[in-house]
Amino acid sequence: VKLTTAMQFAKVLADDAQQIPEPELLPALTKNCQQLVMMGDDKQLAPSATSLMAKAKGFSLSLYERLVRQRIRPITLGFQYSFHHGLY
């Protein structure tokens, strides 16, 4: 989905936020964003940046992971529901 300059989002929900490169998430946050909710796990898959230049410019890092590295403490689930034995 391409964002246009006229699009504004008051609330942004980012699922699997640890996989979204920061530059891809920033356009949704730049105009009128009042609330951001990121769901993800910084110990899971990171964004995939295949070129060395992209990696050197930090495109292999998500905003989620950067915030965790800066000691912004995420709220975590006490129970991992996706691995619940009832799902198999």
Side-chain angles (χ1 to χ4, degrees):
V1 175
K2 266 194 163 175
L3 297 176
T4 67
T5 55
M7 296 177 102
Q8 294 184 19
F9 304 96
K11 297 178 182 181
V12 176
L13 174 67
D15 190 19
D16 284 331
Q18 82 284 355
Q19 292 182 324
I20 305 171
E22 189 170 357
E24 288 184 21
L25 185 56
L26 289 179
L29 306 178
T30 58
K31 291 188 176 184
N32 198 41
C33 181
Q34 299 166 12
Q35 184 177 26
L36 169 64
V37 176
M38 293 187 288
M39 297 179 295
D41 183 348
D42 57 305
K43 295 169 183 53
Q44 296 294 324
L45 293 173
S48 57
T50 54
S51 79
L52 293 176
M53 183 184 295
K55 288 179 184 179
K57 294 189 180 275
F59 291 172
S60 61
L61 187 66
S62 68
L63 175 61
Y64 184 93
E65 185 177 352
R66 186 167 64 83
L67 292 173
V68 169
R69 287 182 180 184
Q70 291 180 358
R71 301 185 194 269
I72 304 294
R73 198 171 58 117
I75 298 170
T76 58
L77 295 174
F79 184 81
Q80 180 53 267
Y81 291 96
S82 63
F83 294 109
H84 190 273
H85 64 84
L87 297 175
Y88 300 98

